[in-house]
Amino acid sequence: MNLSRAAGVLLPIFSLPGPFNIGCFGNEAVDFARLLRAMDFTYWQILPLNPPAAGDSPYQCYSAFAGNPLLIDLRQLVAEGLLKESDLAALPSPVNAHQCDYIAAAAVHDRMLRLAYVNCPPARLEKIKSSVRSERPQVLDYALFTAIREANGGLCWNQWPDEGLRLHEERALARFEAEHAEAIGYQLFCQYWFFHQWLELRAAVNALGIRIVGDLPIYVAYDSSDVWANPEQFELDDDLLPLEVSGVPPDYFTIDGQLWGNPLFNWDYMAVDGFSWWNSRICASFELFDIMRLDHFRGFVDYWAVPYGSATARNGRWRPGPGIALLDSLRKASPHAVLIAEDLGAFADTAVEDLREKVGLPGMRILQFAFDYRADNVHLPHNYCTNSVIYSGTHDNQTLLGWLWEADEKTREYGLQYVGLNSECNWGEGGPRSPVIQEFLRIIWQSVAHTVIVPVQDMLGYGSDTRINTPGQASGQWRWRVTEKDLNLINKKLFRSFNKLYWRANSTQPLSAIPGC
């Protein structure tokens, strides 16, 4: 499957509307896919679905293979006979429909999922647990990791007092599993329902002619089942602490760079090992998604390594990445994989461009980066190439309206002139029918790039209070949610006309064949 001329929308699952404190795999997700299809969109891009660690970031997770239980639709467990309607009726309503409340969501989901676990008939429960064990071995590692972590009061794995468990020794794990069978069984139960519900949702979305674009973070968290179970795959010292950690140097987003803090991969070991961990990861990802965005693609060419314990990312160094060897391995492991290279951190880096072109991957361009008065700026629409995926902004950017408000006068004036407006227009007024936002979106729809992706916030013309993430800020991010009322405000006629007028319409099946359209 190749990317053809089309358009899509960016909205994380956690940002969906719904009755809980976070979006989930419920009917609201299918309704959103119907809305996309009715506007002739082809793609729905989401963010990683893994269980987030500190800071609630989907890019810092406890496992690269497991799923986030908070996304499970509790209502479906009623239909499965594992919960009662009265169980859900007793739950408190969300305080703010526009904000995820991760603490409340975790409390509610844990309480309801444990009740569902208790209510599950023993024979059915054993079948559920054995299916996860046999089909998803890395998820078993996550279940063990989570149960041990909880038994140790939430301590990071390198601080567990039992050396055998800390070192992932088989005998210690077998002993723990015998003594904590219920705790591990509960984690397997949650993972079963995560994957069961997601795969059903994906099938329903695909049946509407919508393809799901997933997101593959390049790094994993140190406090994760991945590092705990596979320490040889990472650069760790004799005490199993990172030698250096991930980040990027000062850039568009932050003057001190971004200190992500993830352990770095032991690329030499991985190459000798045939990149088995990465091959397993890409295969597991394409069981869940139709297309994958490769996060921080430039890290495969060279990556910024920061001494462990540094306060900022300023004092790092560039080190060579695995290059074509890894990408060839991934292609052999998953021959039909469709990938997008997130190459945004590689301005004027010919090595990154050469690798991306050698493997034939489309790169990314961001409209908000275009207006700095550089004639060769690759983010200017007239400089786009066909093999590109164009965004008005990503999850790390301001909304278009927020960007207009924050841009300096020279940048804003150039942007307005570029789209055929001037500073005398009412550029500061947003909303779903804002002519200014519409003209900014129009120029990327008109472009030669084969794919356009736009965040829901820009479709609605919303401002900075709906931004999903601000890079460099560790707390208070990944919270914005859309409501059904918001979605009803989208100018459906406009986006349907954009897709038809600029030959991006989804024509896989007639609209009349889709219920609700």
Side-chain angles (χ1 to χ4, degrees), residues 109 117 126 146 157 249 253-254 257 304 329 383 413 415 483 488 497:
H109 274 71
Y117 177 75
E126 284 307 309
T146 305
W157 64 266
F253 293 109
T254 53
W304 192 246
S329 182
N383 287 334
E413 179 67 21
T483 65
N488 287 333
S497 70

Side-chain angles (χ1 to χ4, degrees), residues 299-494:
F300 299 128
V301 175
D302 51 17
Y303 56 94
W304 192 246
V306 183
Y308 179 63
S310 298
T312 74
R314 278 188 173 273
N315 297 320
R317 60 175 179 142
W318 289 110
R319 296 180 58 189
I324 190 87
L326 171 65
L327 295 168
D328 282 346
S329 182
L330 297 182
R331 181 155 291 173
K332 289 177 183 176
S334 185
H336 303 293
V338 180
L339 300 168
I340 298 168
E342 188 275 283
D343 54 350
L344 299 178
F347 296 112
D349 191 308
T350 55
V352 174
E353 185 176 348
D354 288 346
L355 177 62
R356 182 182 58 75
E357 291 186 351
K358 186 177 293 185
V359 293
L361 302 186
M364 287 174 53
R365 299 293 178 260
I366 308 296
L367 183 61
Q368 292 180 31
F369 294 170
F371 305 111
D372 62 359
Y373 279 87
R374 287 188 299 116
D376 62 347
N377 188 330
V378 297
H379 299 280
L380 277 168
H382 68 265
N383 287 334
Y384 293 164
C385 65
T386 301
N387 195 27
S388 300
V389 181
I390 312 304
Y391 294 78
S392 55
T394 72
H395 59 274
D396 282 333
N397 290 95
Q398 260 292 12
T399 64
L400 267 179
L401 181 64
W403 169 76
L404 279 169
W405 275 99
E406 292 181 0
D408 61 78
E409 186 175 350
K410 182 181 179 182
T411 300
R412 182 169 55 242
E413 179 67 21
Y414 179 33
L416 291 169
Q417 289 181 356
Y418 192 93
V419 302
L421 301 169
N422 58 57
S423 57
E424 296 179 0
C425 70
N426 193 5
W427 58 264
E429 183 177 338
R433 299 184 183 276
S434 165
V436 174
I437 299 301
Q438 289 177 17
E439 291 311 304
F440 274 97
L441 295 179
R442 185 187 299 276
I443 63 169
I444 58 175
W445 249 268
Q446 290 173 330
S447 73
V448 298
H450 59 49
T451 304
V452 166
I453 305 285
V454 59
V456 162
Q457 297 97 306
D458 288 346
M459 298 175 72
L460 288 161
Y462 282 176
S464 58
D465 57 333
T466 65
R467 182 173 185 166
I468 286 180
N469 179 52
T470 302
Q473 293 190 14
S475 61
Q477 310 301 305
W478 318 104
R479 278 164 165 66
W480 181 73
R481 295 180 70 189
V482 71
T483 65
E484 290 184 12
K485 181 179 179 182
D486 294 322
L487 294 176
N488 287 333
L489 293 175
I490 290 175
N491 189 342
K492 303 173 187 61
K493 183 177 180 181
L494 174 76

Side-chain angles (χ1 to χ4, degrees), residues 111-158:
R111 178 179 154 201
M112 291 294 102
L113 287 169
R114 287 186 186 277
L115 180 58
Y117 177 75
V118 170
N119 290 340
C120 190
R124 186 181 188 188
L125 186 57
E126 284 307 309
K127 187 176 180 180
I128 284 173
K129 291 189 290 187
S130 64
S131 71
V132 179
R133 286 176 179 275
S134 62
E135 296 171 16
R136 304 184 186 278
Q138 294 92 350
V139 173
L140 175 58
D141 269 331
Y142 168 76
L144 283 162
F145 169 85
T146 305
I148 299 170
R149 197 174 184 278
E150 289 182 352
N152 285 279
L155 286 176
C156 182
W157 64 266
N158 71 322

Side-chain angles (χ1 to χ4, degrees), residues 3 22 65 69 88 97 206 248 358 460 504:
L3 295 178
I22 189 171
F65 293 87
L88 301 188
N206 287 167
V248 290
K358 186 177 293 185
L460 288 161
R504 299 186 185 276

